[in-house]
Amino acid sequence: MEKDKLQKEIRRLAQEKEAIILAHNYQPPEIQDVADLTGDSLELSLKASRTPAKVVVFCGVRFMAETAAIVCPEKRIVFPRLEAGCEMADMITPEDVLGLKERYPQAPVVTYVNSYVEIKAVSDICCTSANSVNVVKALEAQEVIMVPDKNLARYTQRFFPDKKIYYHDGFCPFHEVLTVEDLQQARKQHPEAVLMVHPECRPEVIDQAEVVRSTSGMLKYARESSAREFIVGTEIGLLYPLKKQNPHKEFYPASSQMLCKAMKMISLEDLYKALETLEPVVEVPEDIRQRAYQAVARMLEIPRN
Ligand code: 13P
Ligand code: SF4
């Protein structure tokens, strides 16, 4: 089937099945275009928890679909490609978290949503790249454990000179790849451009940036800024919604290496098939879900700014 026809059929099926399609900002353009809602991890978990739809078709990676299953056990969370994982989420086990808790028993565990349900289940509260600072601020504790991303932990630490954040050694390979040399090169080519980077980048890269935000934070900044040109230090999928929302502005990738394969796995054909069959469904064991729910729900209660 041709792309346009497939997209129309997907919309027809979504209506017929009373399903809502959520897509992350890194998804391929043709998937973002056909979704009901797009967003960053925090927006997508809020949207999943608030939609009256009984069926949510999630286009992103598995931890995002799992988060929807954690907050909406009564909904059917269809996830077209169960094998779309996250390399950062694979870098930590529940035993790693328990080891950190044993070492720092006084410190609550703040878990980045980019982790699987078993990790959330042994955590006190979750965070995303959009709210890690607000989450740590809301905790009375002076010492905090953050997992699995060392870069998000070190970025968050900058806002709390009086608190100590212990962290696990995980990272996103597609953000870690961005170097100061890449930025120097990009700045040379685009001297007027504003540099925006994701908090998953290395500390020395963050030091160079004018703007450090989640994916939706970068979209908001670019819409509201009077600047005309931007160098974008995150997964290159974000270039599509940036340009779509700001056709008269220019966006340049900070590095062409920032490409997350898992984020590109779902095709229109996969989405069509998933809507037709309402399969595959992301499954979360109920006892683990209940424990993970506490951590996600606590995060969702924290006000946004
Ligand atoms: P955001 O929550 O900023 O969209 O990031 C998700 C992600 O996977 C970053 O690598
Ligand atoms: Fe995971 Fe990195 Fe891909 Fe985000 S970009 S889903 S953190 S591997």
Side-chain angles (χ1 to χ4, degrees), residues 26 61 63 86-88 114 172-175 200 235 260 263:
Y26 293 157
V61 290
F63 74 78
C86 163
E87 292 193 25
M88 180 199 294
N114 296 28
C172 167
F174 311 107
H175 284 82
E200 287 177 17
E235 207 277 339
C260 173
M263 275 287 180

Side-chain angles (χ1 to χ4, degrees), residues 11 20-48 57-60 64 215-217 219 223 237-238 240-242 244-245 271 304:
R11 289 308 322 159
I20 186 168
I21 303 172
L22 301 185
H24 186 263
N25 292 325
Y26 293 157
Q27 284 289 291
E30 63 277 14
I31 299 283
Q32 295 197 37
D33 284 347
V34 87
D36 291 282
L37 298 163
T38 55
D40 66 9
S41 307
L42 180 59
E43 289 171 331
L44 294 177
S45 28
L46 281 166
K47 283 165 183 172
V57 183
F58 211 106
C59 299
M64 295 178 178
T215 57
S216 289
L219 286 167
R223 277 194 309 271
L238 192 68
Y240 176 69
L242 279 167
K244 189 174 168 184
Q245 293 177 16
L271 179 52
R304 300 196 70 178

Side-chain angles (χ1 to χ4, degrees), residues 59 146 187 196 210:
C59 299
M146 271 186 93
R187 288 240 202 238
M196 306 193 289
E210 280 88 56

